[in-house]
Amino acid sequence: MCGIVGYVGARPALGIVVDALRRMEYRGYDSAGVAILDGDGGLAVEKKAGRLENLDKQIAEVGAETLRGSTGIGHTRWATHGQPTDRNAHPHVSADGRLAVVHNGIIENYSPLRVELENAGVEFSSDTDTETAVHLLEREYASGEHAGDFVASAYATLRRLEGAFTLVFTHADHPGTIVAARRSTPLVVGVGDGEMFVASDVTAFIEHTRDAVELGQDEVVVITADSYSITDFDGAATGGTPFHIDWDLAAAEKGGYDYFMLKEIAEQPEALESTMSGHLQDGRIVLDEQRLSDQDLRDVDKVFVVACGTAYHAGLIAKYAIEHWTRLPVEVELASEFRYRDPVLGRSTLVVAISQSGETADTLEAVRHAKDQKARVLAICNTNGAQIPRESDAVLYTHAGPEIGVASTKCFLAQIAAAYLVGLALAQALGTKYQDEVVREFTELEQIPAAVQTVLEQMEPVRELARSFASSDTVLFLGRHVGYPVALEGALKLKELAYIHAEGFAAGELKHGPIALIEDGLPVIIVMPSPTGRALLHSKMVSNIREIQARGATTIVIAEPDDEAAAAIADHLIPIPATPTLLQPLVSTVPLQVFAATVAQSRGYDVDKPRNLAKSVTVE
Ligand code: F6R
């Protein structure tokens, strides 16, 4: 949700900043802009509504030489306050044209601040909350307590702001210095050789350095070409958390695929392997940054999973396994609903917060609510040092590598695997499974990457099928048991990528209403339970298929190879390898991802950047 970057060094900043924006465009793509200091007191700004390519064209028209200098900031926007127009694009500049700011998040007290500034005669040139910050700083620098001191004036400004934000300031009088601050939304420093970066995400500078420092909540960093200093908002040194990025530029690039999403779908076997790797040691499940003792796990008497979107679907799937293995009650709740009711939580409740980005505002607030209620919180996250794991009691990282396509794919499978590890760790601590059973479940999980690889190698017929249904107006998805959340996920992928009305249902619910939607030729995708593992559910699903076929539906059935009944009645069959029932979602999801991506491509859409969406949602 908005990508921001700052660079100070010896090289021309423009190319470095624009390349960084290109890598962070997944965070928002409503508009983009840059501000470059020429080092002689000049500040040049270019910004443009729409995708980064529009800014590229504008820079080509004005001439890159107008943006010379080796200090620069940049922004790619996902609009919150104000339409995605040129006028609302960042950077925002002070009235004297000497100060520029880029911002991610929301300044919640912007209304009273705007009134205060307007009463003082300040004229606003955008509808954004961000502009208040640049005017406040301009006034502080001109006539405040720290007049003429850019850094101290920035601290004074930051102390007046409320909300969740990352801000990056630069001033024409102070080339070679950038001030940036973090409150809830992410900010990392990239430590180069004679150059420094600040950015929302390490992908911005991975090409230049793999040494980074994570800022914590309410921290400020001042960077120059060869130094960085991190403090709290009052200027007391804090230091940040240094880390080394263990993946490289190739992982953040498309590697021959047309879209990141297609690459990420193909990377799923590896993502699963990395997520599981090292978690079985000497016959026991170990969760790396567990920070919860076996006794803590033994004390758990209820599990809550909180998450949003695709991560919520991972939680729905995990519920089946965790309840089965531990006999603990598991509730799965949309994070956006969780804290607005009065969930029953206590010291013995384990709240599992699932978030790929670790930034999602709804999930973060759910974590805070759970902690206020004294529950233990374990985060499942793909982003090192993000806010949700920082605020949780424990974290289990899904080592899926960077996920850049906006729609979550490999992180979804990794989240399911990680949640299963949590279930096995609980079963082990509680003694609800014998240790050899825990090991057997883990070993079965270890077979899944190969099964996913098999599915991936058989996707051409699915792509053909998807192309033939690309002009559908509605597609329905049906599942039962663990296949039900898979159906929900299949529908979410199709609607977000292809902008087609898609809905997932528990097949048993059909006759309670949704069957009224069935009409001639309506495509219905069915996730078939295993004919051996779930014979009863399987036979009920066969009846459901007959019911909808009788009303004209065209059925596309995902089924195991020995499912003769499915093969006999399906209008179209998508085979998947047989797996233990609880693990089936890890393979049955894959054709649905491929189906959605192919329909979207056939309709001419950019699957990496679906309309109106952003990769991380840092506002509620
Ligand atoms: C859909 C998708 C979203 C995210 C949701 C939560 O493809 O990616 O529904 O799953 O916004 O995001 P994280 O996992 O970052 O909390």
Side-chain angles (χ1 to χ4, degrees), residues 346-362:
R347 286 177 199 283
S348 49
T349 313
L350 179 68
V351 172
V352 179
I354 308 182
S355 174
Q356 170 279 128
S357 62
E359 289 179 38
T360 301
D362 289 309

Side-chain angles (χ1 to χ4, degrees), residues 160-184:
R160 298 210 53 202
L161 305 178
E162 291 166 16
F165 50 78
T166 307
L167 286 155
V168 181
F169 295 110
T170 188
H171 197 300
D173 295 350
H174 302 273
T177 300
I178 282 178
V179 183
R182 167 187 189 164
R183 171 170 290 164
S184 287

Side-chain angles (χ1 to χ4, degrees), residues 261 307-313 354-361 363-364 380-383 388 403 405-409 411-412 415 489 492-493 496-497 610 613-617:
M261 183 186 171
C308 302
T310 287
Y312 168 72
H313 296 156
I354 308 182
S355 174
Q356 170 279 128
S357 62
E359 289 179 38
T360 301
T363 311
L364 179 59
I380 292 178
C381 183
N382 198 49
T383 311
I388 289 172
E403 188 179 71
V406 163
S408 192
T409 51
C411 283
F412 176 63
Q415 285 162 348
E489 175 60 8
L492 177 61
K493 281 288 157 291
E496 70 179 328
L497 295 172
L613 294 175
K615 184 72 183 161
S616 61
V617 185

Side-chain angles (χ1 to χ4, degrees), residues 200-541:
S200 308
D201 181 348
V202 296
T203 50
F205 52 72
I206 186 80
E207 185 182 357
H208 310 291
T209 178
R210 288 166 71 182
D211 292 318
V213 184
E214 175 82 28
L215 264 74
Q217 176 74 335
D218 282 3
E219 287 187 337
V220 183
V221 63
V222 181
I223 59 166
T224 64
D226 43 32
S227 72
Y228 69 87
S229 79
I230 300 178
T231 67
D232 63 19
F233 277 28
D234 291 319
T238 48
T241 314
F243 64 100
H244 186 72
I245 304 155
D246 57 10
W247 45 270
D248 59 13
L249 180 62
E253 291 195 326
K254 287 186 198 153
Y257 289 84
D258 288 342
Y259 289 99
F260 282 110
M261 183 186 171
L262 306 182
K263 173 174 169 250
E264 287 156 9
I265 290 173
E267 286 171 346
Q268 292 185 109
E270 205 186 322
L272 282 170
E273 265 165 20
S274 311
T275 298
M276 289 183 284
S277 166
H279 287 299
L280 184 70
Q281 289 175 17
D282 300 328
R284 289 188 66 77
I285 300 291
V286 283
L287 305 179
D288 43 356
E289 295 193 42
Q290 190 173 344
R291 304 198 296 261
L292 292 175
S293 65
D294 265 8
Q295 187 56 49
D296 291 332
L297 294 180
R298 270 194 289 279
D299 289 343
V300 172
D301 63 10
K302 180 178 182 179
V303 178
F304 252 111
V305 183
V306 290
C308 302
T310 287
Y312 168 72
H313 296 156
L316 290 177
I317 291 166
K319 173 185 164 88
Y320 290 86
I322 300 176
E323 285 190 338
H324 180 69
W325 291 332
T326 66
R327 308 313 300 149
L328 291 173
V330 180
E331 280 193 50
V332 187
E333 183 143 6
L334 290 167
S336 53
E337 292 293 322
F338 179 75
R339 78 181 173 122
Y340 295 105
R341 58 184 194 90
D342 192 11
V344 181
L345 302 165
R347 286 177 199 283
S348 49
T349 313
L350 179 68
V351 172
V352 179
I354 308 182
S355 174
Q356 170 279 128
S357 62
E359 289 179 38
T360 301
D362 289 309
T363 311
L364 179 59
E365 290 304 335
V367 166
R368 288 176 177 163
H369 183 74
K371 293 211 72 180
D372 285 348
Q373 306 291 309
K374 309 285 180 257
R376 304 284 185 148
V377 181
L378 186 150
I380 292 178
C381 183
N382 198 49
T383 311
N384 208 327
Q387 196 67 20
I388 289 172
R390 289 177 80 91
E391 295 197 21
S392 299
D393 296 304
V395 55
L396 179 56
Y397 282 111
T398 49
H399 297 280
E403 188 179 71
I404 294 174
V406 163
S408 192
T409 51
K410 63 175 177 174
C411 283
F412 176 63
L413 293 202
Q415 285 162 348
I416 298 170
Y420 279 17
L421 292 177
V422 174
L424 290 177
L426 278 167
Q428 174 179 274
L430 293 163
T432 48
K433 283 255 161 213
Y434 291 116
Q435 200 58 35
D436 61 334
E437 292 175 308
V438 170
V439 173
R440 198 179 59 231
E441 299 289 354
F442 184 88
T443 312
E444 282 177 347
L445 199 50
E446 279 186 315
Q447 313 303 314
I448 295 298
V452 172
Q453 189 57 45
T454 305
V455 178
L456 288 168
E457 285 161 14
Q458 297 170 353
M459 282 300 94
E460 198 40 46
V462 174
R463 283 188 273 269
E464 269 172 40
L465 203 56
R467 285 189 277 268
S468 71
F469 284 102
S471 56
S472 305
D473 295 326
T474 298
V475 179
L476 302 186
F477 294 74
L478 302 182
R480 278 176 178 267
H481 193 260
V482 286
Y484 167 45
V486 172
L488 296 179
E489 175 60 8
L492 177 61
K493 281 288 157 291
L494 190 62
K495 68 184 105 169
E496 70 179 328
L497 295 172
Y499 323 146
I500 289 179
H501 171 229
E503 286 196 66
F505 295 110
E509 272 295 293
L510 260 192
K511 47 192 158 305
H512 302 290
I515 200 162
L517 291 169
I518 307 291
E519 58 188 15
D520 230 17
L522 182 87
V524 182
I525 301 187
I526 294 127
V527 185
M528 208 63 192
S530 162
T532 47
R534 293 278 149 180
L536 181 63
L537 286 184
H538 179 269
S539 67
K540 291 190 188 305
M541 195 63 122

